């Protein structure tokens, strides 16, 4: 049973992340890294929304304990897997965000769902990537 769940989770993860990979590949040649240093004109940060998002992103890291019995040598395998997962998750957030910031001008427009606008801009105004 765990092989089916793991395989399905891996396929779904690849499906969900693939538009971001395409956006990064298409966006890197269009990047203007000087935009990373620009200060956002909005100085207010919604701390409650920030904390809510951060805590939401931390969900399920502890659920590995429920399948520890299924792992070979869990004392060695689980810390290694969690270390790899942390690196992958951080890169999955930072790389698309860095490309998005460096390819768009309107930093004040960043809000929930703004990666759609980034994807459309990176694709030269076409919506196929944003609809994916």
């Amino acid at each position: 049973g765990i092989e089916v769940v793991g395989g399905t989770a891996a396929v779904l993860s690849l499906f969900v992340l693939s538009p971001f990979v395409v956006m990064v590949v298409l966006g890197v040649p269009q990047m203007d890294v000087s935009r990373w240093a620009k200060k956002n004109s909005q100085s207010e940060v919604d701390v409650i929304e920030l904390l809510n998002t951060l805590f939401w992103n931390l969900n399920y890291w502890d659920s590995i304990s429920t399948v520890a019995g299924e792992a070979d040598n869990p004392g060695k395998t689980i810390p290694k897997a969690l270390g790899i997962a942390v690196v992958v998750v951080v890169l999955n957030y930072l790389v698309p965000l860095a490309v998005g910031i460096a390819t768009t001008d309107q930093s004040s427009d960043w809000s929930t769902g703004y990666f759609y606008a980034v994807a459309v801009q990176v694709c030269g105004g076409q919506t196929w990537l944003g609809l994916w």
Side-chain angles (χ1 to χ4, degrees):
I2 195 150
E3 290 87 12
V4 173
V5 171
T8 303
V11 168
L12 289 174
S13 295
L14 291 174
F15 177 74
V16 168
L17 293 174
S18 58
F20 293 98
V21 172
V22 173
M23 184 188 79
V24 167
V25 169
L26 295 176
V28 165
Q30 302 174 37
M31 288 175 55
D32 177 6
V33 295
S34 68
R35 293 181 180 149
W36 290 340
K38 286 185 182 177
K39 187 175 187 310
N40 189 348
S41 60
Q42 294 177 331
S43 59
E44 289 187 35
V45 173
D46 186 349
V47 177
I48 301 297
E49 185 175 353
L50 173 66
L51 290 175
N52 185 35
T53 303
L54 291 175
F55 285 121
W56 177 77
N57 288 327
L58 293 173
N59 279 339
Y60 305 108
W61 285 94
D62 59 341
S63 63
I64 188 70
S65 64
T66 60
V67 295
E70 301 282 337
D72 295 331
N73 193 5
K76 187 175 184 178
T77 306
I78 291 176
K80 182 178 178 181
L82 286 174
I84 292 168
V86 166
V87 171
V88 169
V89 167
V90 168
L91 289 175
N92 282 328
Y93 279 101
L94 286 182
V95 173
L97 184 61
V99 170
I101 290 170
T103 56
T104 59
D105 292 325
Q106 297 84 8
S107 64
S108 62
D109 291 344
W110 277 85
S111 62
T112 304
Y114 193 69
F115 273 117
Y116 173 80
V118 174
V120 170
Q121 183 169 337
V122 164
C123 291
Q126 298 177 7
T127 60
W128 64 271
L129 183 58
L131 295 174
W132 185 349

